[in-house]
Amino acid sequence: MQGSPIQIGTINLQNFEVPPSVRFGGRHRVAIHTLAGGTRILERLGPDDGEIQFRGSFSGPQAEARMRAINNLRLTGEVVWLTWESFRYQVVVKSFVADYYSPWWISYRIGCLIAHQDGAANLLTLALSALISADLAVAMTAASGTSIQLGSLQAALSATNAFTAGTSDRSQAVAAVASSRVSINQQISEQSVSLAAPFGTGTAVSSYGSALQSTVASAGVLAAAVNASAYVGRIGSRLCA
């Protein structure tokens, strides 16, 4: 990167001050909810940028003055622009370490913390993602052990822009919620009809045991379906708010 213009705040680095390379990057924070059977719900919490780090050397008669100018950025904690080539970040100088060899040669290492980056998800989107992911985790737990399938809803909510209004991903997520509710309501209707039938009608006394087990199973599926319906419904309400 030697010779490439790089600027921090109002200071343009030059000559030996220009770093040979710039280290930057980070990770995406993800909370993992593991359900029964190994199914995972990934709750995307947004980017977590690491420090931007680089090094160089101040040289010549202005070495001390320029070193102090950059060190002042660390002392004040001011948010400044850091730019090089096509990269542009608002940063705080978190660390600045200098090795003073002479008034004409001072090597340095600097670490910048990103204060803001264009394109990162805003807090409202992240909050919506967290709430919906939590509701989906509960709904899928309730539906486990029944014939209710929420895989398509999970896939739709995992799309990149599922929580961004006005996108096709958001529209598909809303449609997936509606489709899932139709399936769940059908299950609720079937189990309700089963439970409404008089117990033992047309059943031999010797078969009452198995009939009772079937009734209990229907009651369990109904409860699970109602529970899942409530959380899937709330997901729909959050998406359409």
Side-chain angles (χ1 to χ4, degrees), residues 22-29 46-54 82 84 89-95 110-117:
V22 176
R23 173 175 290 183
F24 68 103
R27 64 191 183 105
H28 192 98
R29 292 182 298 127
D48 184 13
D49 293 299
E51 289 186 21
I52 299 177
Q53 301 174 337
F54 54 91
L82 172 64
W84 77 94
Y89 297 94
Q90 284 184 288
V91 303
V92 171
V93 177
K94 182 180 178 182
S95 63
I110 192 169
C112 296
L113 187 65
I114 296 176
H116 173 73
Q117 180 181 171

Side-chain angles (χ1 to χ4, degrees), residues 36-51:
T39 301
R40 285 182 170 181
I41 300 293
L42 302 182
E43 184 177 339
R44 296 171 296 171
L45 302 178
D48 184 13
D49 293 299
E51 289 186 21

Side-chain angles (χ1 to χ4, degrees), residues 5 18 20 54-55 88 94 96 130 137 139 142 158 174 176 180 182 195 197 208 213-214 216 219 229:
V18 177
F54 54 91
R55 58 185 173 81
R88 182 176 172 85
K94 182 180 178 182
F96 177 81
S158 297
V174 171
S180 296
V182 169
L195 289 172
Y208 271 17
Q213 288 179 350
S214 177
V216 171
S229 177

Side-chain angles (χ1 to χ4, degrees), residues 193-216:
V193 169
S194 176
L195 289 172
F199 177 75
T201 301
T203 302
V205 175
S206 60
S207 300
Y208 271 17
S210 60
L212 179 59
Q213 288 179 350
S214 177
T215 299
V216 171

Side-chain angles (χ1 to χ4, degrees), residues 2 6 11-19 54-59 62-63 66 108:
Q2 199 67 262
I6 180 169
I11 304 170
N12 284 291
L13 301 183
Q14 56 194 11
N15 300 325
F16 295 106
E17 298 167 1
V18 177
F54 54 91
R55 58 185 173 81
S57 296
F58 299 103
S59 61
Q62 297 299 315
R66 292 180 65 77
Y108 74 90

Side-chain angles (χ1 to χ4, degrees), residues 44 125 128-129 132-133 157 159-165 167 170 239:
R44 296 171 296 171
T125 300
L128 178 62
S129 173
I132 288 179
S133 295
L157 293 174
T160 303
N161 295 311
F163 306 118
T164 303
T167 63
R170 178 73 161 263
L239 287 174

